[in-house]
Amino acid sequence: QLQLVESGGGLVQPGGSLRLSCLASGFNLDYFAIGWFRQAPGKEREGVSYIRSSGATFYVESVKGRFVISRDKAKRTVYLEMNNLKPEDTAEYYCAATTACRGSTDYFSELTYAYWGQGTQVTVSS
């Protein structure tokens, strides 16, 4: 019933753009925060961005000003618009969902999220 499915990954040149989509089937986005994570080979999974149930958005410093997270609650879809892509953005990108809402919650931590998509590959290369 509850399922997250990412799409939109692919190969793009440095400086290019991609928009990732996360279809959150069965999720009421008024009650879930949605995060985007990425993992490059040999590296830890890294929180990139998240949007709270309130609609507030947050970004890790390395993507601030380049990436934009947004949502369409009617479509139950969260987007990650990625602009001015760099080779270091190359990774498998995942979306995840959580109901956590305490003041101490770290939404950049993968431990916060109980629901995960399968991932979509983003490769930035000439």
Side-chain angles (χ1 to χ4, degrees), residues 45-92:
R45 188 169 297 185
E46 173 191 31
V48 175
S49 180
Y50 63 87
I51 183 166
R52 295 191 63 177
S53 58
S54 66
T57 60
F58 302 85
Y59 304 89
V60 71
E61 191 67 28
S62 62
V63 309
K64 197 173 296 182
R66 299 190 297 122
F67 291 10
V68 179
I69 190 171
S70 62
R71 68 183 180 184
D72 185 327
K73 290 195 289 184
K75 295 182 178 179
R76 301 196 174 188
T77 300
V78 175
Y79 305 96
L80 186 67
E81 183 76 29
M82 305 183 296
N83 303 300
N84 191 24
L85 282 160
K86 304 175 180 180
E88 51 262 46
D89 295 317
T90 295
E92 186 87 0

Side-chain angles (χ1 to χ4, degrees), residues 4 27-37 49-56 69 71 78 95-101 105 107 112-115:
L4 300 170
F27 293 86
N28 184 337
L29 297 183
D30 287 329
Y31 302 123
F32 287 86
I34 304 294
W36 283 98
F37 291 77
S49 180
Y50 63 87
I51 183 166
R52 295 191 63 177
S53 58
S54 66
I69 190 171
R71 68 183 180 184
V78 175
C95 66
T98 181
T99 59
C101 60
T105 299
Y107 291 99
T112 295
Y113 298 84
Y115 306 94

